[in-house]
Amino acid sequence: MMRALPAVACAAAPVPRRSLLLSTAAAGGLITTRSDRTTTAEEASSCRLTSGAALNAEQLPLRLTRGATGAAAKIRASADAAQAATFSSTDDALAWAKKDNRRLLHVVYRVGDLDKTIKFYTECLGMKLLRKRDIPEEKYTNAFLGYGPEDSHFVVELTYNYGVDKYDIGAGFGHFGIGVDDVAKTVELVRAKGGKVTREPGPVKGGKTVIAFVEDPDGYKFEILERPGTPEPLCQVMLRVGDLDRAISFYEKACGMELLRKIDNPEYKYTLAMMGYGSEEKNAVLELTYNYGVTEYAKGNAYAQIAIGTDDVYKTAEVVKLFGGQVVREPGPLPGISTKITSIMDPDGWKSVFVDNIDFAKELE
C-alpha cells in the first residue's frame, strides 16, 4: 500500500550473484551474447561507455554469458540438448505454458544518477531500497526497489553505468504504473519534493479511474492510479507495439500470459491490452498499447527488459520457438552459478528474461 509520508530506505542487503549477472543486461562490458551471436573481446571493448553520452542500444550489450568455444561449447550444447523438452503438439506446449508457475519478478532499466533516483523513489513514490551493490571491476552499480520483498512482489532494478549520465528513453517505452490510496495526496507529495507532474489528477480519458502522471529524474513516466488497498502497488509496465493482435498472440502463446482485458478508444485513436499471470487487482501486468497507424517505435537505450519466473527454462524456450518467438539466450545455467535462465525477444523487439523459480528463491536466501 502506498504511504503518503516518505518511506525510509531499509538497509541494503548484499546482492545475490544471480542478480548481479542478470543485472548486466543493463550494464556494459565483458564478452557478451547479443541477439544470435557472441561478440568478441575486441567488439566488447569497442562498446565502452562514454561519459555524458546518450548511447545507442547496440552499445549496451546483454552480458548474460561468456562466449564458449571448442570442447566447452560442445559439452554445454550437449547438456542443454539433453535437458530440452519435447512437446507432442503445439496444443501440448500451450497447455504447459498456461500451467507453468509464472509471475513478473522485476523490470530492468538504466539511470544516469542512481542516488538521485533512489531518493525520488523512496521519498516521493514510497518505495523501499531492498538492496544495492557496486561492482567497480565491471563499472556499474545496481539497486532494487519496491513495495515488498522480491519473493512476493514485482520490483524495479536500476542500473547505473559509470560515467553515463544520460540515456534515450525512446518512443516505444510508455510508463510504469503505481496504485495508491489517494492520487491527489501522492501528487502533492511529489510536487512538494520538487518532482515533475505532467498530468494533474483526474479521470482517465474515456473512463472513471482517477489517475495522474509524474516523471522521475531520468524522464521515465509513472502513471499514478487510485487503487486503495492494492497488494501490488507497482502494478504496470506499459510498452507500445506496432501490431496489437500479433503482440497479444505472442504473449498468450509464447509467454503463457492471459489477456485480462482489451479496450479500444477510437476517440483518442488507440487500443490497449492488459496481459499477465493473474488479475490486475493482485498482480503486476504488462500493458500493450497500439496507436492507430503507428507500426514501429524507436526503442532508445534506457529501458532493458522484464524478468519472469518459470518452473522450467528449457521448456519455456521451446514453447517460445514453437510459436515463432526469438530466443536470444539459449536456456541454461549462468556461468559459475546454478541459476538457469533464457532470454527472448517479442515481435516488436522488447526483451524478457525467464528465470528458474527454484534457483531464484535460493539466490534470495
Side-chain angles (χ1 to χ4, degrees):
M1 183 182 301
M2 176 70 70
R3 296 181 179 177
L5 296 177
V8 178
C10 63
V15 179
R17 294 182 67 194
R18 177 208 61 81
S19 298
L20 295 180
L21 288 169
L22 280 180
S23 68
T24 58
L30 277 184
I31 299 175
T32 70
T33 297
R34 184 192 305 158
S35 297
D36 58 351
R37 69 184 183 87
T38 301
T39 64
T40 65
E42 291 75 16
E43 290 172 312
S45 65
S46 70
C47 293
R48 290 177 180 174
L49 304 178
T50 304
S51 177
L55 306 181
N56 182 281
E58 284 298 299
Q59 293 175 289
L60 294 166
L62 291 176
R63 300 186 305 138
L64 293 176
T65 181
R66 294 182 181 273
T69 58
K74 293 180 180 179
I75 292 173
R76 176 174 294 174
S78 298
D80 289 350
Q83 296 185 62
T86 301
F87 294 104
S88 59
S89 66
T90 54
D91 288 341
D92 184 29
L94 182 59
W96 178 84
K98 293 292 185 182
K99 293 178 181 178
D100 189 23
N101 182 27
R102 295 180 178 179
R103 73 175 181 89
L104 303 186
L105 303 178
H106 52 259
V107 59
V108 187
Y109 51 104
R110 305 171 181 97
V111 298
D113 186 327
L114 190 60
D115 291 336
K116 187 175 181 179
T117 302
I118 291 173
K119 181 179 177 65
F120 179 84
Y121 287 10
T122 55
E123 294 187 359
C124 296
L125 300 180
M127 293 187 191
K128 293 182 179 180
L129 175 61
L130 304 173
R131 47 193 172 99
K132 180 181 178 182
R133 178 67 180 269
D134 183 44
I135 314 297
E137 62 271 22
E138 304 298 343
K139 299 183 179 180
Y140 76 92
T141 306
N142 57 52
F144 292 75
L145 296 97
Y147 296 100
E150 291 179 67
D151 59 1
S152 59
H153 288 74
F154 186 54
V155 306
V156 299
E157 177 184 344
L158 307 176
T159 295
Y160 168 70
N161 292 296
Y162 288 13
V164 184
D165 59 13
K166 185 178 180 181
Y167 292 96
D168 175 19
I169 293 178
F173 171 79
H175 61 260
F176 303 112
I178 296 179
V180 302
D181 289 343
D182 190 317
V183 171
K185 287 185 177 180
T186 301
V187 169
E188 288 175 8
L189 177 60
V190 170
R191 184 178 283 115
K193 293 288 184 178
K196 184 177 181 180
V197 178
T198 59
R199 199 259 201 201
E200 295 293 334
V204 65
K205 294 177 180 179
K208 298 180 180 179
T209 303
V210 176
I211 68 166
F213 275 90
V214 302
E215 283 187 10
D216 77 359
D218 289 273
Y220 290 103
K221 290 182 172 62
F222 283 81
E223 180 180 16
I224 311 300
L225 305 97
E226 199 146 291
R227 290 187 177 180
T230 179
E232 186 68 285
L234 184 59
C235 56
Q236 295 175 0
V237 175
M238 192 276 261
L239 303 174
R240 298 183 177 93
V241 298
D243 184 327
L244 187 59
D245 290 336
R246 179 185 65 182
I248 290 173
S249 178
F250 176 84
Y251 283 100
E252 280 186 319
K253 296 177 180 178
C255 296
M257 291 187 183
E258 178 184 354
L259 174 60
L260 303 171
R261 60 189 173 105
K262 183 178 180 182
I263 301 173
D264 183 39
N265 196 324
E267 180 181 358
Y268 297 101
K269 299 182 179 181
Y270 74 86
T271 308
L272 62 82
M274 296 295 189
M275 311 287 299
Y277 298 109
S279 69
E280 293 179 64
E281 291 75 20
K282 297 181 179 180
N283 302 273
V285 301
L286 178 62
E287 177 182 343
L288 303 175
T289 297
Y290 168 70
N291 292 299
Y292 290 11
V294 184
T295 59
E296 189 173 351
Y297 294 93
K299 297 294 186 299
N301 62 358
Y303 175 86
Q305 63 188 9
I306 289 178
I308 303 170
T310 176
D311 285 339
D312 193 317
V313 297
Y314 298 95
K315 288 184 178 180
T316 293
E318 185 175 357
V319 171
V320 170
K321 292 176 181 178
L322 283 174
F323 290 104
Q326 183 181 359
V327 175
V328 296
R329 199 278 187 187
E330 291 295 332
L334 287 165
I337 59 176
S338 61
T339 302
K340 296 177 288 295
I341 71 165
T342 188
S343 296
I344 70 168
M345 184 182 294
D346 78 2
D348 288 275
W350 297 115
K351 296 177 182 177
S352 299
V353 57
F354 283 85
V355 185
D356 182 271
N357 285 323
I358 293 177
D359 293 345
F360 179 75
K362 289 179 179 178
E363 292 294 343
L364 290 180
E365 292 176 353

